[in-house]
Amino acid sequence: MPYGPTPETSTELATGASTARTTAAVPRIVSPSRRPRAEPSPSPGRPARAARALRHASPALLAYAAVRLLGLLVFALWARKENRDVWHLLAESWDIDWYLKIADTGYAHTLGTRIDANNLAFFPLHPLLIRAGSVIAPEPRGAVGLAIAVACSFLAAWGIFAVGDRLHGRRTGVLLAALWGSLPVALVQWMGYTESLFTALTAWALYAVLTGRWIWAGTLAALAGLTRPTGVALAAAVSLTALLTLLRRYRRVRLGEAPEGESRFPPRILLGALLAPLGWLSYVGWVGLRLGRWDGYFAVQKLWHNEWDGGVGTLRAMYDLLAVQRPQLFLVMVTGTLLASVALFVLSAGDRQPLPLLVFTGLLLLIVLGSKGVYFPRARFLLPGFPLLLPLATALARARTHAAVTVMVVAAMTSAAFGGHMLLAWMGPP
């Protein structure tokens, strides 16, 4: 599949192919005495460019808002029927309470021995933002965390649209953002969890790589590494792509194939590669120093039953659910999401997606599927893997409008039903 053009520094890596087109035109000779004076063309400022980009992305943001408002409406009506507290479920429940407590009282100083009890397992950026926002809006509890999640969900949808638009055009970008909002566990995007924040940072970091903005890519990847453990997958995608870009530039310069004046090692690319892993490494290192042991963070994760076993635990859980037990509907949905994600990654690789997207989604799947930790939140852990939806978005973009609309309506209604079931029928965290 063809992909849109990228800057010189990332063309070959970001698109998987390099295509050069040249055009020739016969110049019109103008007498110097009659040559018109060139009027300076004022370049639009950043606010104007941002407004233009926002207008360009508005169909995607409106589609995303419509899908999520439908899910919220279904959930609210369902919760009211069962006399459940909507605010508590969206802004204070389960892992959200951990983030709120970290924002209030900070992190633990010791490892301890209690299972599922050490808050050092939770990365710090979201609690820090909650703490900063609570100075402005201390009440009601959880309001800041929920506001951060909702705002970041729109930033994420915008970034997802930008990636899809750059690679395949506006229609694909709109559908990609709407599909992300129609995932089975998409209700989490409007809860006080970290998925929306992490996805926003991921989407814009990948877009920055595709457009050659390496310092932005490294900075956003570093912030993502302070948000979730899977930030290491994004850091690897940014750093690896940057380093391979440097190697290709070095080869071109050495063989004399580069334009005159091109540097072998542009500082901005190298800086982006170095910045990307700093967030994740900083927090893991800080936990080690706080607990007085180099493997402190991994010891904390072990108390939460999160250890990497290459996928043995995941396969065992799937076998038990499908062949031994009578599984609950939510766990069937989680299993279906995991299997579909693997199939979509194979399709993405076959479509020759840009390298940074494939590295990120591949490592994300490797981390999520390769862990023997708790099984039920795996679908939520894959929410940031929006590039996996590109094969579906491109297929819908090629389909007739009525067919694409029908698919999207069914997806939105299914997401709304699963969202309500996730928080009201499934007796556990999402």
Side-chain angles (χ1 to χ4, degrees):
M1 287 188 179
Y3 292 95
T6 57
E8 169 204 359
T9 55
S10 57
T11 299
E12 296 180 6
L13 291 171
T15 63
S18 59
T19 304
R21 296 183 179 179
T22 59
T23 59
V26 178
R28 184 167 62 96
I29 301 176
V30 180
S31 171
S33 60
R34 302 183 60 183
R35 191 183 306 274
R37 293 183 61 185
E39 294 292 336
S41 56
S43 59
R46 289 185 179 180
R49 290 198 301 268
R52 189 166 59 246
L54 182 59
R55 285 195 300 271
H56 186 64
S58 58
L61 298 179
L62 290 172
Y64 173 76
V67 169
R68 292 304 338 125
L69 286 171
L70 173 64
L72 182 63
L73 177 62
V74 170
F75 166 70
L77 293 175
W78 191 344
R80 182 178 180 182
K81 184 179 179 180
E82 296 194 3
N83 295 317
R84 302 285 293 277
D85 187 347
V86 172
W87 180 264
H88 172 74
L89 290 170
L90 295 180
E92 300 174 346
S93 62
W94 304 111
D95 286 2
I96 306 172
D97 188 53
W98 283 99
Y99 290 115
L100 295 175
K101 288 178 178 176
I102 292 170
D104 289 339
T105 61
Y107 282 104
H109 289 83
T110 58
L111 178 61
T113 57
R114 291 177 58 197
I115 301 298
D116 300 344
N118 195 309
N119 64 8
L120 288 166
F122 298 89
F123 277 55
L125 183 58
H126 191 53
L128 286 173
L129 293 176
I130 292 174
R131 186 165 188 169
S134 296
V135 176
I136 303 172
E139 295 294 340
R141 185 175 186 267
V144 174
L146 183 58
I148 291 171
V150 174
C152 286
S153 74
F154 282 96
L155 288 175
W158 189 356
I160 290 168
F161 163 79
V163 171
D165 178 38
R166 179 162 189 88
L167 296 179
H168 295 287
R170 193 181 192 190
R171 183 180 174 92
T172 298
V174 171
L175 290 166
L176 185 62
L179 282 171
W180 182 69
S182 302
L183 290 172
V185 294
L187 184 59
V188 172
Q189 296 166 9
W190 283 12
M191 295 175 64
Y193 276 75
T194 59
E195 272 68 25
S196 291
L197 172 61
F198 183 75
T199 305
L201 294 169
T202 296
W204 286 109
L206 292 175
Y207 180 77
V209 172
L210 294 175
T211 55
R213 295 173 171 89
W214 294 103
I215 296 178
W216 271 110
T219 302
L220 292 170
L223 291 173
L226 291 170
T227 306
R228 292 198 58 80
T230 46
V232 68
L234 179 61
V238 173
S239 295
L240 178 62
T241 308
L243 293 175
L244 289 177
T245 300
L246 286 173
L247 288 175
R248 293 198 177 208
R249 287 179 67 105
Y250 175 78
R251 181 177 177 273
R252 287 201 304 267
V253 172
R254 186 176 180 183
L255 296 178
E257 299 173 355
E260 184 178 352
E262 181 177 280
S263 172
R264 293 186 180 185
F265 297 109
R268 65 185 186 282
I269 302 180
L270 185 59
L271 183 58
L274 295 176
L275 282 172
L278 286 185
W280 190 88
L281 291 174
S282 296
Y283 182 67
V284 171
W286 179 81
V287 173
L289 291 173
R290 192 173 183 86
L291 298 181
R293 49 186 296 180
W294 70 270
D295 64 340
Y297 171 76
F298 302 101
V300 171
Q301 288 294 337
K302 190 173 182 179
L303 289 176
W304 284 84
H305 304 289
N306 287 328
E307 295 180 273
W308 201 81
D309 66 350
V312 175
T314 301
L315 292 174
R316 186 174 297 150
M318 286 184 177
Y319 175 79
D320 290 342
L321 284 172
L322 300 177
V324 179
Q325 304 174 8
R326 185 177 179 179
Q328 299 184 48
L329 177 60
F330 181 73
L331 297 179
V332 173
M333 182 275 294
V334 171
T335 303
T337 300
L338 298 182
L339 295 175
S341 297
V342 174
L344 288 171
F345 180 77
V346 173
L347 290 176
S348 299
D351 286 345
R352 298 182 65 186
Q353 272 188 18
L355 178 66
L357 274 61
L358 287 176
V359 172
F360 169 67
T361 52
L363 289 178
L364 181 67
L365 282 170
L366 196 64
I367 293 169
V368 173
L369 299 178
S371 171
K372 70 173 184 179
V374 288
Y375 185 77
F376 54 81
R378 306 291 182 91
R380 172 168 64 87
F381 293 166
L382 289 177
L383 269 177
F386 71 89
L388 294 171
L389 300 171
L390 265 172
L392 297 179
T394 53
L396 287 175
R398 292 192 299 267
R400 295 182 181 273
T401 300
H402 71 274
V405 170
T406 300
V407 171
M408 290 308 309
V409 169
V410 172
M413 295 177 65
T414 304
S415 174
F418 271 122
H421 176 84
M422 176 179 66
L423 289 187
L424 299 171
W426 162 250
M427 303 305 293

